[in-house]
Amino acid sequence: MKKQTLTVATLAIATFGWISVAAAQGPGGPPMRHGGGPGGPGFGPGGPGGPPIDMIAERLGLSDEQKAQWKAIHETARTTGEPLMKAAGAAKEAFDKALEADNADPATIGQAAIAMKNARTQLEAHHKATMDAARAILTPEQAAKFDEMQKKMGPQGMRKRRGPGELK
Protein backbone atom coordinates (compact mmCIF):
# COMPACT_ATOMS: atom_id res chain seq x y z
CA MET A 1 0.00 0.00 0.00
CA LYS A 2 2.80 2.39 0.89
CA LYS A 3 4.52 1.66 -2.44
CA GLN A 4 1.28 2.33 -4.35
CA THR A 5 0.79 5.65 -2.52
CA LEU A 6 4.37 6.65 -3.26
CA THR A 7 3.94 5.68 -6.93
CA VAL A 8 0.74 7.72 -7.28
CA ALA A 9 2.32 10.70 -5.51
CA THR A 10 5.43 10.47 -7.71
CA LEU A 11 3.29 10.25 -10.85
CA ALA A 12 1.24 13.22 -9.71
CA ILE A 13 4.32 15.32 -9.00
CA ALA A 14 5.92 14.39 -12.34
CA THR A 15 2.68 15.14 -14.14
CA PHE A 16 2.38 18.40 -12.23
CA GLY A 17 5.81 19.49 -13.39
CA TRP A 18 5.13 18.55 -16.98
CA ILE A 19 1.68 20.10 -17.07
CA SER A 20 2.78 23.21 -15.17
CA VAL A 21 5.29 23.92 -17.90
CA ALA A 22 2.70 23.13 -20.56
CA ALA A 23 0.02 25.23 -18.88
CA ALA A 24 2.42 28.12 -18.59
CA GLN A 25 3.10 27.83 -22.30
CA GLY A 26 -0.34 26.80 -23.49
CA PRO A 27 -0.75 24.23 -26.27
CA GLY A 28 2.66 23.90 -27.80
CA GLY A 29 3.99 27.38 -26.97
CA PRO A 30 3.61 30.63 -25.09
CA PRO A 31 0.38 31.19 -23.20
CA MET A 32 -2.72 32.43 -24.93
CA ARG A 33 -2.89 36.06 -23.99
CA HIS A 34 -5.65 38.57 -24.14
CA GLY A 35 -4.63 41.96 -25.34
CA GLY A 36 -2.44 43.47 -27.96
CA GLY A 37 0.63 42.18 -29.60
CA PRO A 38 2.37 42.51 -32.92
CA GLY A 39 -0.41 40.64 -34.71
CA GLY A 40 -3.27 41.22 -32.32
CA PRO A 41 -4.56 39.27 -29.38
CA GLY A 42 -4.55 35.63 -29.41
CA PHE A 43 -3.93 32.10 -30.17
CA GLY A 44 -1.41 30.98 -32.74
CA PRO A 45 0.12 32.94 -35.57
CA GLY A 46 -1.26 36.42 -35.63
CA GLY A 47 -1.08 37.00 -31.89
CA PRO A 48 1.57 37.21 -29.22
CA GLY A 49 1.94 33.42 -29.36
CA GLY A 50 3.13 33.38 -32.95
CA PRO A 51 4.38 35.36 -35.89
CA PRO A 52 2.07 38.13 -37.13
CA ILE A 53 0.00 37.40 -40.22
CA ASP A 54 2.08 39.80 -42.33
CA MET A 55 5.24 37.80 -41.66
CA ILE A 56 3.47 34.50 -42.37
CA ALA A 57 1.94 35.96 -45.53
CA GLU A 58 5.32 37.15 -46.74
CA ARG A 59 7.14 33.91 -45.96
CA LEU A 60 4.47 31.72 -47.52
CA GLY A 61 3.43 34.08 -50.31
CA LEU A 62 -0.22 34.18 -49.23
CA SER A 63 -2.78 35.83 -51.47
CA ASP A 64 -5.18 38.40 -50.01
CA GLU A 65 -7.89 35.71 -49.95
CA GLN A 66 -5.59 33.31 -48.09
CA LYS A 67 -4.69 36.05 -45.59
CA ALA A 68 -8.37 36.62 -44.88
CA GLN A 69 -8.94 32.88 -44.49
CA TRP A 70 -5.89 32.55 -42.21
CA LYS A 71 -7.15 35.37 -40.01
CA ALA A 72 -10.65 33.87 -39.85
CA ILE A 73 -9.30 30.44 -38.90
CA HIS A 74 -7.21 31.86 -36.08
CA GLU A 75 -9.97 34.19 -34.89
CA THR A 76 -12.27 31.17 -34.62
CA ALA A 77 -9.52 29.24 -32.84
CA ARG A 78 -9.13 32.07 -30.36
CA THR A 79 -12.86 32.04 -29.63
CA THR A 80 -13.21 28.26 -29.37
CA GLY A 81 -9.92 27.88 -27.52
CA GLU A 82 -10.73 30.28 -24.71
CA PRO A 83 -13.04 27.87 -22.83
CA LEU A 84 -10.41 25.15 -23.19
CA MET A 85 -7.77 27.47 -21.72
CA LYS A 86 -10.08 28.34 -18.83
CA ALA A 87 -10.76 24.64 -18.20
CA ALA A 88 -7.03 23.91 -18.24
CA GLY A 89 -6.44 26.72 -15.77
CA ALA A 90 -9.20 25.45 -13.50
CA ALA A 91 -7.77 21.91 -13.69
CA LYS A 92 -4.33 23.23 -12.71
CA GLU A 93 -5.80 25.19 -9.79
CA ALA A 94 -7.64 22.07 -8.59
CA PHE A 95 -4.41 20.09 -8.83
CA ASP A 96 -2.48 22.74 -6.91
CA LYS A 97 -5.16 22.80 -4.23
CA ALA A 98 -5.16 18.99 -3.94
CA LEU A 99 -1.37 18.87 -3.79
CA GLU A 100 -1.07 21.62 -1.19
CA ALA A 101 -3.81 20.27 1.11
CA ASP A 102 -2.70 19.61 4.67
CA ASN A 103 -3.61 15.94 4.40
CA ALA A 104 -3.05 15.54 0.67
CA ASP A 105 -4.80 12.45 -0.64
CA PRO A 106 -2.80 10.66 -3.34
CA ALA A 107 -5.97 9.51 -5.10
CA THR A 108 -7.31 13.07 -5.27
CA ILE A 109 -3.95 14.32 -6.49
CA GLY A 110 -3.86 11.60 -9.12
CA GLN A 111 -7.37 12.40 -10.31
CA ALA A 112 -6.50 16.09 -10.50
CA ALA A 113 -3.34 15.26 -12.48
CA ILE A 114 -5.39 13.17 -14.90
CA ALA A 115 -7.87 16.04 -15.28
CA MET A 116 -4.96 18.38 -16.13
CA LYS A 117 -3.64 15.89 -18.68
CA ASN A 118 -7.08 15.60 -20.27
CA ALA A 119 -7.37 19.39 -20.47
CA ARG A 120 -3.96 19.56 -22.12
CA THR A 121 -4.92 16.84 -24.58
CA GLN A 122 -7.99 18.86 -25.57
CA LEU A 123 -5.86 21.97 -26.06
CA GLU A 124 -3.36 20.04 -28.18
CA ALA A 125 -6.19 18.63 -30.32
CA HIS A 126 -7.59 22.13 -30.74
CA HIS A 127 -4.20 23.47 -31.76
CA LYS A 128 -3.68 20.62 -34.24
CA ALA A 129 -7.13 21.20 -35.75
CA THR A 130 -6.30 24.89 -36.14
CA MET A 131 -2.97 24.16 -37.82
CA ASP A 132 -4.62 21.56 -40.07
CA ALA A 133 -7.30 24.06 -41.10
CA ALA A 134 -4.65 26.71 -41.81
CA ARG A 135 -2.56 24.25 -43.80
CA ALA A 136 -5.62 23.25 -45.85
CA ILE A 137 -5.86 26.72 -47.42
CA LEU A 138 -2.28 26.55 -48.71
CA THR A 139 -1.02 25.48 -52.10
CA PRO A 140 1.26 22.43 -52.11
CA GLU A 141 4.31 24.71 -52.36
CA GLN A 142 3.11 26.91 -49.51
CA ALA A 143 2.29 23.84 -47.42
CA ALA A 144 5.84 22.56 -47.91
CA LYS A 145 7.22 25.95 -46.74
CA PHE A 146 4.80 25.92 -43.81
CA ASP A 147 5.95 22.42 -42.80
CA GLU A 148 9.59 23.52 -43.06
CA MET A 149 8.90 26.58 -40.90
CA GLN A 150 7.31 24.36 -38.26
CA LYS A 151 10.27 21.95 -38.32
CA LYS A 152 12.77 24.78 -37.88
CA MET A 153 10.81 26.05 -34.90
CA GLY A 154 10.94 22.73 -33.10
CA PRO A 155 8.22 20.70 -31.42
CA GLN A 156 6.25 23.80 -30.48
CA GLY A 157 5.78 24.63 -34.14
CA MET A 158 4.65 28.04 -35.26
CA ARG A 159 3.99 29.27 -31.74
CA LYS A 160 7.59 29.13 -30.53
CA ARG A 161 9.32 32.50 -30.51
CA ARG A 162 12.62 32.79 -32.35
CA GLY A 163 15.20 35.44 -32.87
CA PRO A 164 15.52 37.49 -36.05
CA GLY A 165 16.30 35.49 -39.16
CA GLU A 166 15.52 32.09 -37.59
CA LEU A 167 12.13 31.73 -39.25
CA LYS A 168 13.52 31.33 -42.74
Side-chain angles (χ1 to χ4, degrees):
M1 181 67 173
K2 202 173 201 181
K3 185 176 181 181
Q4 183 182 16
T5 301
L6 180 60
T7 302
V8 171
T10 302
L11 173 65
I13 291 169
T15 302
F16 169 69
W18 175 69
I19 292 178
S20 292
V21 170
Q25 295 180 351
M32 182 170 129
R33 295 183 186 111
H34 304 282
F43 191 115
I53 182 63
D54 293 335
M55 182 168 48
I56 293 290
E58 180 183 332
R59 306 252 178 186
L60 297 178
L62 299 182
S63 67
D64 289 340
E65 182 181 345
Q66 286 174 311
K67 278 192 218 178
Q69 291 173 320
W70 187 280
K71 286 179 184 178
I73 289 166
H74 286 85
E75 195 59 40
T76 298
R78 198 173 3 265
T79 301
T80 57
E82 184 152 353
L84 297 174
M85 292 294 293
K86 286 182 180 179
K92 183 181 180 317
E93 285 179 26
F95 177 81
D96 289 345
K97 184 176 179 182
L99 189 64
E100 294 170 6
D102 287 338
N103 293 317
D105 175 39
T108 302
I109 293 168
Q111 290 169 350
I114 290 168
M116 280 196 316
K117 181 188 179 298
N118 291 339
R120 178 160 196 243
T121 299
Q122 288 180 335
L123 282 169
E124 287 172 347
H126 180 264
H127 179 71
K128 182 181 180 328
T130 301
M131 291 295 102
D132 289 348
R135 193 177 188 285
I137 68 168
L138 303 175
T139 67
E141 295 81 18
Q142 290 169 328
K145 285 181 186 176
F146 181 72
D147 293 344
E148 186 61 31
M149 288 170 67
Q150 286 185 306
K151 281 182 194 174
K152 285 185 178 181
M153 292 185 193
Q156 294 180 1
M158 297 297 295
R159 297 178 52 82
K160 187 173 181 181
R161 293 235 176 219
R162 291 289 186 153
E166 292 186 57
L167 263 174
K168 295 179 182 176

